Amino acid sequence: MRTLDANPELEAYLRLNNAAYAEWRVAIAQLLACPGVEGRLPRPQAVVGSLSALTVDAGIVCVLDMAQDMELVGCCVSQPLLVTAVQGRGEITLQGGSRLPVFPLAVIPAGRKFTLRIAECSRLVLVYPVSEAVPAGPRPGLEVALAGHIHRFLMRSDYFQDHQDASGETQALFDRLERQLVSGQVDLPEDLPVLDRRLVRVIEKIRSERDWEFDLQDLARHCGASERNLYYLMKRETGMTPYRFYQRCRLIRVRKRLVDCKCDVPHISWYAADEGFSHLGRFAALYREHFGELPSETVQWRRRLQQESLAEPARRAMI
């Protein structure tokens, strides 16, 4: 499949990055409504990886990017769950011993306990829930088609205009997946275009040069196009203007710092100013426009995980 040369990790909806395993367990238990899930890691005190999650009315798209091997045991979902590997490898073992590869895609039926093994440096996508009408038997090409739609969605995610656009695309993904599962029809997604090499240079510059201040003329010189051509080329191929993409990249950097923050009182205004946002009220509005929540809500989500992970040992001792 041709792509937009994106890095499919759903980074605009990062929830965990430099977090302890206990927070990971609580996050996965909540996202999948699976309170009995447990994890096994070779290095429990080391970084687990990153977790991103985008939630809409239809369900959740969750991306797990692993920094070490992890095994999730005791999982049991109330509705079918789709798991596909973007990179690396993983495996699912259902209760009873049957195994499901996560490449191209595994459909985990509702009510069955399973174990999910994920290898280090792997990136897996979990889509939950999906239609209860899971095919009773194998249908050639269906898993490939379902995985293709999920991968295409992730490739597009780097260029979502804002949270409204992201939510609409996510809802559309759930609709497509359910439609195919119900009908059993194999409907492969359309190929995404390969980005113009000039745009690749522009995007790499904006992403990698953290201290660079936006200058359309500088970008045009960098990629060898006129300012006018660059503007319309990027708008046509990604749906975003160069400045909109630059702004979104800065907001994502602030979000990552908020997610990683371990201080008692996060310095939201300081992080925002450090990324070039001088007006805090305007920054907060932009942040909510892009991510569907205020910066303080991003911090609160992580704080709740920390509190619940600390309270878990005492709660289990009482059971």
Side-chain angles (χ1 to χ4, degrees), residues 11-27:
E11 62 178 352
Y13 293 90
L14 183 70
R15 286 298 185 186
L16 288 176
N17 194 36
N18 295 316
Y21 158 70
E23 292 177 61
W24 266 76
R25 199 213 72 79
V26 173

Side-chain angles (χ1 to χ4, degrees), residues 310-319:
L310 290 173
E312 272 213 335
R315 185 165 55 245
R316 291 189 180 191
M318 296 174 64
I319 297 176

Side-chain angles (χ1 to χ4, degrees), residues 11 13-19 23 51 252-262 271 287 293 295 298-299 301-303 306:
E11 62 178 352
Y13 293 90
L14 183 70
R15 286 298 185 186
L16 288 176
N17 194 36
N18 295 316
E23 292 177 61
L51 181 153
I252 289 172
R253 286 198 291 265
V254 176
R255 183 182 183 93
K256 183 177 184 300
R257 294 175 74 172
L258 292 175
V259 169
D260 287 348
C261 180
K262 292 181 172 64
Y271 293 153
Y287 191 98
E293 62 188 23
T298 300
V299 174
W301 199 94
R302 173 78 189 276
R303 288 294 165 80
Q306 292 172 333

Side-chain angles (χ1 to χ4, degrees), residues 28-68:
I28 292 174
Q30 290 182 0
L31 292 169
L32 299 183
C34 183
V37 66
E38 295 288 349
R40 299 169 184 162
L41 300 102
R43 304 184 302 279
Q45 306 305 317
V47 171
V48 179
S50 67
L51 181 153
S52 301
L54 173 51
T55 304
V56 295
D57 290 342
I60 298 169
V61 177
C62 182
V63 179
L64 309 180
D65 206 339
M66 305 310 301
Q68 59 172 305

Side-chain angles (χ1 to χ4, degrees), residues 28-34 53-62 76-83 105-111 114 125-134 146 150 170-179 181-182:
I28 292 174
Q30 290 182 0
L31 292 169
L32 299 183
C34 183
L54 173 51
T55 304
V56 295
D57 290 342
I60 298 169
V61 177
C62 182
C76 185
V77 288
S78 60
Q79 296 187 58
L81 167 70
L82 302 186
V83 182
L105 177 136
V107 182
I108 302 175
F114 65 93
V125 188
L126 283 59
V127 180
Y128 177 78
V130 293
S131 168
E132 295 184 9
V134 174
L146 295 172
I150 294 171
T170 308
Q171 184 65 51
L173 171 68
F174 275 98
D175 292 343
R176 283 192 291 269
L177 297 176
E178 181 170 356
R179 187 164 56 248
L181 281 166
V182 171

Side-chain angles (χ1 to χ4, degrees), residues 9-278:
E9 58 184 12
L10 207 63
E11 62 178 352
Y13 293 90
L14 183 70
R15 286 298 185 186
L16 288 176
N17 194 36
N18 295 316
Y21 158 70
E23 292 177 61
W24 266 76
R25 199 213 72 79
V26 173
I28 292 174
Q30 290 182 0
L31 292 169
L32 299 183
C34 183
V37 66
E38 295 288 349
R40 299 169 184 162
L41 300 102
R43 304 184 302 279
Q45 306 305 317
V47 171
V48 179
S50 67
L51 181 153
S52 301
L54 173 51
T55 304
V56 295
D57 290 342
I60 298 169
V61 177
C62 182
V63 179
L64 309 180
D65 206 339
M66 305 310 301
Q68 59 172 305
D69 294 345
M70 183 168 72
E71 185 177 76
L72 295 173
V73 299
C75 309
C76 185
V77 288
S78 60
Q79 296 187 58
L81 167 70
L82 302 186
V83 182
T84 180
V86 173
Q87 67 181 42
R89 67 187 190 279
E91 185 181 66
I92 294 162
T93 304
L94 297 177
Q95 188 175 34
S98 56
R99 295 184 177 182
L100 303 174
V102 298
F103 185 84
L105 177 136
V107 182
I108 302 175
R112 293 282 300 277
K113 279 194 174 183
F114 65 93
T115 296
L116 172 60
R117 297 176 181 86
I118 314 172
E120 181 178 350
C121 298
S122 295
R123 181 176 298 154
L124 265 61
V125 188
L126 283 59
V127 180
Y128 177 78
V130 293
S131 168
E132 295 184 9
V134 174
R139 299 186 181 180
L142 182 58
E143 288 84 359
V144 173
L146 295 172
H149 285 289
I150 294 171
H151 291 201
R152 188 182 193 279
F153 165 83
L154 286 178
M155 291 295 181
R156 284 286 308 137
S157 69
D158 271 0
Y159 308 102
F160 288 156
Q161 304 297 305
D162 49 31
H163 183 65
Q164 182 177 2
D165 183 32
S167 297
E169 289 288 338
T170 308
Q171 184 65 51
L173 171 68
F174 275 98
D175 292 343
R176 283 192 291 269
L177 297 176
E178 181 170 356
R179 187 164 56 248
Q180 290 205 49
L181 281 166
V182 171
S183 68
Q185 295 180 352
V186 177
D187 178 19
L188 292 171
E190 295 180 1
D191 285 351
L192 288 171
V194 174
L195 282 180
D196 186 287
R197 59 179 178 78
R198 292 168 293 181
L199 285 187
V200 173
R201 296 189 66 189
V202 164
I203 289 168
E204 287 177 349
K205 180 179 178 65
I206 291 173
R207 280 181 174 151
S208 63
E209 297 184 18
R210 180 178 174 275
D211 296 328
W212 178 78
E213 294 185 10
F214 186 82
D215 184 331
L216 186 60
Q217 187 178 45
D218 184 36
L219 280 181
R221 284 197 302 267
H222 180 73
C223 73
S226 69
E227 294 177 46
R228 181 182 178 85
N229 284 345
L230 171 59
Y231 180 93
Y232 285 108
L233 182 64
M234 189 156 184
K235 181 71 173 175
R236 184 189 70 205
E237 295 202 12
T238 70
M240 305 185 79
T241 65
Y243 183 76
R244 184 72 169 180
F245 183 74
Y246 165 77
Q247 186 182 66
R248 185 170 176 83
C249 287
R250 287 191 301 155
L251 287 165
I252 289 172
R253 286 198 291 265
V254 176
R255 183 182 183 93
K256 183 177 184 300
R257 294 175 74 172
L258 292 175
V259 169
D260 287 348
C261 180
K262 292 181 172 64
C263 51
D264 292 334
V265 181
H267 302 292
I268 295 175
S269 59
W270 190 88
Y271 293 153
D274 196 44
E275 294 295 344
F277 297 99
S278 56

